[in-house]
């Protein structure tokens, strides 16, 4: 059977009807009652009538970021809601494991670009809806590219990509030109749970404002993994990131291969014994290296629908927007509520760009880096640090890493002076972070155990 979705619409008769005047308005007739008359729920700025409909159908340009589980749903919903100039970005190719829920793809599409395949499918299925794909990374495109859209909708599984997209749209906003404001609608799911949010860059809270609400990243500093493991996870990370490539230089680690996992478990257990660390188990090994996030098709459908309704309201003003966060909890019955995330004045992206931090002069640089990594409001994994005068510690290139590694053992009182500005860069940070150092003996002395 080719496509259940087509079958469902065929049974209602819609695909047997001749496509009325090139498929429009026939296909989108259901929008007319919403767009042509005011209703008690309509937004106060809503003007019912043809101009609103024409804006939606003829002018509004929407960018969909991600063509995976959420992205397939989003593209389908937008096309059926009257958006006819849709762009989609995705850097991935179709994998056989996607086919159970990413319904725009078929077995013959395995290996092809998701963005291109999804765009072709939508255009075949919804004639007169134009979908322009880009097979690549969001970072390949510049602000001029993003400036062409009226609204951006993200269906991503990567925090890093979300942070980048959010920071780009915040930085693009120029208070002298209202059209530089690009609303961002973001959806995310994890098993039976999901969330949708509307971000009006610089006006409402941005994605980065609430970074510390995310589950902390499990990224451990390489120096800890290599030299001073304290946790069972450190031993497992050591086995998978350092020992595996050393033992099997020709073979990449396959976390779905039970033999590979057994090897990791044995290797991590030996290291844990040597350092007297309890707690390495096979299931922990699996959890650390696989980073499993189950995907449930129906949760994607719920969240994508919520996001697309917000995009529709943004494009037409036909309803009041979500202000600004909706969570959907399906783990324990069904529970959902909305709340307003407030702007965080210390937000690294839309708030102040410098962060004042107390540091203890007797902390080593390594200890300080560990503390920065453990700080959920910063959310970094492998930071590089420098002052205007010198590099303190650089993760790359290798020669610079080696040259700066000895600094890790020095205490901050020797490396820094009061008021120094330390610039922190990290692959996870969408902007570089400037820390104004305040050396004080009263900085918390207990080392944050991770
Ligand atoms: Zn912010």
């Amino acid at each position: 059977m080719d496509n259940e979705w087509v079958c469902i619409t065929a049974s209602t008769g819609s695909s047997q009807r001749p496509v009325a005047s090139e498929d429009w308005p026939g296909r989108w007739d259901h929008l007319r009652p919403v767009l042509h008359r005011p209703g008690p729920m309509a937004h106060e700025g809503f003007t019912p009538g043809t101009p609103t409909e024409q804006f939606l159908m003829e002018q509004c340009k929407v960018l969909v970021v991600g063509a995976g589980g959420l992205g397939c749903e989003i593209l389908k919903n937008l096309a059926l809601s009257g958006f006819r100039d849709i762009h989609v970005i995705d850097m991935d190719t179709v994998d056989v494991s996607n086919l159970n829920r990413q319904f725009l793809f078929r077995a013959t599409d395995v290996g092809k670009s998701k963005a291109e395949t999804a765009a072709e499918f939508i255009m075949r299925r919804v004639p007169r809806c134009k979908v322009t794909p880009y097979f690549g990374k969001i970072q390949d495109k510049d602000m001029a590219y993003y400036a062409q859209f009226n609204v951006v909708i993200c269906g991503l599984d990567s925090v890093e990509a979300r942070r980048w997209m959010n920071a780009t749209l915040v930085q693009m906003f120029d208070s002298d030109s209202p059209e530089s404001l690009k609303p961002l609608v973001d959806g995310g799911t994890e098993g039976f749970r999901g969330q949708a949010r509307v971000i009006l860059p610089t006006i409402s809270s941005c994605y980065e404002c609430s970074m510390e609400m995310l589950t902390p990243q499990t990224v451990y500093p390489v120096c800890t993994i290599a030299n001073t493991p304290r946790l069972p996870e450190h031993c497992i990370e050591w086995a998978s990131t350092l020992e595996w490539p050393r033992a099997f230089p020709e073979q990449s680690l396959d976390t779905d291969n039970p033999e590979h996992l057994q090897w990791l478990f044995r290797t991590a257990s030996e290291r844990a014994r040597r350092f007297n660390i309890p707690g390495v188990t096979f299931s922990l090994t699996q959890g650390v290296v696989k980073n499993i996030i189950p995907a449930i098709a129906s949760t994607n459908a719920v969240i994508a629908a919520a996001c697309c309704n917000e995009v529709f309201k943004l494009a037409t003003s036909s309803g009041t927007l979500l202000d600004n966060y909706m969570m959907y909890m399906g783990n324990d019955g069904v529970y959902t509520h909305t709340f307003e995330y407030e702007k965080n004045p210390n937000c690294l992206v839309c708030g102040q760009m410098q962060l004042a931090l107390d540091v203890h002069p007797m902390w080593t640089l390594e200890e300080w880096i560990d503390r920065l990594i453990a700080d959920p409001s910063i959310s970094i994994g492998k930071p590089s640090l420098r002052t205007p005068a010198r590099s303190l510690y650089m993760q790359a290139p290798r020669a610079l890493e080696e040259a700066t590694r000895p600094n890790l053992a020095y205490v901050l009182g020797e490396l820094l002076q009061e008021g120094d500005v330390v610039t922190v860069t990290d692959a996870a940070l969408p902007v570089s972070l400037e820390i104004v150092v305040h050396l004080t003996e009263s900085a918390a002395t207990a080392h944050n155990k991770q």
Side-chain angles (χ1 to χ4, degrees):
M1 177 137 92
D2 180 43
N3 184 338
E4 283 174 14
W5 178 34
V6 171
C7 293
I8 290 165
T9 33
S11 70
T12 65
S14 66
S15 68
Q16 286 145 27
R17 184 178 55 204
V19 174
S21 61
E22 279 77 45
D23 207 46
W24 181 50
R27 176 179 295 279
W28 292 290
D29 274 354
H30 63 287
L31 299 174
R32 299 205 137 217
V34 182
L35 297 180
H36 282 263
R37 59 188 186 214
M41 308 302 280
H43 186 265
E44 55 189 22
F46 177 53
T47 322
T50 308
T52 302
E53 187 181 29
Q54 279 175 341
F55 176 77
L56 170 71
M57 299 222 175
E58 292 170 6
Q59 289 165 37
C60 188
K61 215 176 205 188
V62 49
L63 174 66
V64 178
V65 184
L70 275 169
C72 284
E73 289 280 352
I74 290 170
L75 287 164
K76 174 260 287 176
N77 291 347
L78 293 178
L80 296 180
S81 306
F83 291 89
R84 303 198 309 146
D85 190 358
I86 303 171
H87 291 239
V88 57
I89 297 189
D90 197 301
M91 60 184 283
D92 277 344
T93 54
V94 178
D95 185 81
V96 72
S97 66
N98 303 143
L99 299 178
N100 60 359
R101 63 193 185 283
Q102 298 179 18
F103 53 86
L104 301 177
F105 311 134
R106 298 290 168 271
T108 48
D109 298 323
V110 169
K112 294 184 192 164
S113 149
K114 285 189 177 180
E116 289 167 3
T117 310
E120 279 168 28
F121 189 108
I122 295 284
M123 287 194 287
R124 209 163 51 236
R125 185 64 185 76
V126 187
R128 300 209 63 192
C129 175
K130 185 162 163 266
V131 186
T132 310
Y134 174 69
F135 175 28
K137 297 166 79 165
I138 48 175
Q139 291 88 346
D140 296 347
K141 299 291 189 183
D142 59 11
M143 287 191 185
Y145 171 82
Y146 291 106
Q148 67 180 304
F149 301 106
N150 297 97
V151 53
V152 177
I153 176 168
C154 284
L156 290 160
D157 55 7
S158 145
V159 171
E160 214 174 299
R162 281 195 179 93
R163 293 178 85 177
W164 189 89
M165 199 65 247
N166 173 69
T168 301
L169 297 181
V170 170
Q171 283 161 7
M172 271 167 61
F173 179 65
D174 168 3
S175 55
D176 293 334
S177 90
E179 66 275 19
S180 68
L181 183 84
K182 308 295 176 188
L184 170 65
V185 178
D186 180 59
T189 66
E190 203 174 49
F192 289 112
R193 295 182 303 164
Q195 92 278 326
R197 69 189 290 179
V198 174
I199 293 167
L200 303 173
T202 73
I203 294 174
S204 67
S205 69
C206 81
Y207 185 73
E208 200 77 21
C209 285
S210 53
M211 271 312 287
E212 60 191 52
M213 301 306 291
L214 285 181
T215 328
Q217 294 180 305
T218 40
V219 178
Y220 306 105
V222 174
C223 31
T224 304
I225 296 168
N227 306 315
T228 52
R230 297 185 302 274
L231 295 173
E233 287 88 348
H234 293 157
C235 302
I236 297 165
E237 281 281 319
W238 176 82
S240 63
T241 60
L242 298 177
E243 271 310 284
W244 180 275
R246 209 172 298 164
F248 308 100
E250 304 292 312
Q251 196 180 11
S252 55
L253 178 66
D254 175 5
T255 54
D256 289 324
N257 183 326
E259 284 174 29
H260 290 197
L261 281 175
Q262 277 296 346
W263 185 92
L264 288 182
F265 171 53
R266 276 200 312 275
T267 310
S269 301
E270 279 164 33
R271 184 166 176 83
R273 260 195 302 279
R274 203 162 355 122
F275 284 89
N276 234 339
I277 300 166
V280 174
T281 60
F282 185 75
S283 66
L284 183 70
T285 308
Q286 238 179 342
V288 169
V289 298
K290 286 180 74 114
N291 193 17
I292 309 158
I293 301 173
I296 294 183
S298 301
T299 313
N300 282 342
V302 169
I303 296 301
C307 289
C308 289
N309 278 354
E310 293 313 304
V311 174
F312 184 82
K313 289 189 270 178
L314 279 162
T316 62
S317 299
S318 58
T320 302
L321 283 177
L322 166 64
D323 183 21
N324 49 39
Y325 190 101
M326 186 272 287
M327 58 188 285
Y328 172 83
M329 313 289 282
N331 277 347
D332 209 2
V334 175
Y335 168 69
T336 174
H337 81 137
T338 64
F339 61 94
E340 184 191 349
Y341 256 129
E342 295 198 359
K343 280 189 77 162
N344 175 358
N346 297 320
C347 174
L348 302 180
V349 169
C350 74
Q352 59 186 30
M353 305 306 269
Q354 278 192 338
L355 189 66
L357 274 190
D358 288 354
V359 301
H360 199 288
M362 292 312 289
W363 288 346
T364 63
L365 180 60
E366 179 170 15
E367 191 180 346
W368 190 38
I369 290 175
D370 279 358
R371 284 168 178 272
L372 291 174
I373 292 171
D375 184 339
S377 67
I378 304 179
S379 290
I380 51 178
K382 290 181 170 184
S384 292
L385 281 71
R386 63 188 149 76
T387 67
R390 64 189 291 201
S391 294
L392 295 172
Y393 180 67
M394 304 302 280
Q395 302 271 356
R398 195 170 166 172
L400 199 51
E401 195 280 330
E402 280 169 10
T404 54
R405 199 185 304 159
N407 288 344
L408 291 173
Y410 282 91
V411 295
L412 298 179
E414 288 176 299
L415 293 170
L416 297 170
Q417 304 205 329
E418 175 65 18
D420 269 356
V421 177
V422 175
T423 304
V424 179
T425 50
D426 186 282
L429 271 182
V431 288
S432 60
L433 162 68
E434 300 206 325
I435 295 177
V436 184
V437 168
H438 176 46
L439 288 166
T440 168
E441 304 269 341
S442 63
T445 45
H447 191 285
N448 288 338
K449 293 282 182 209
Q450 292 164 48

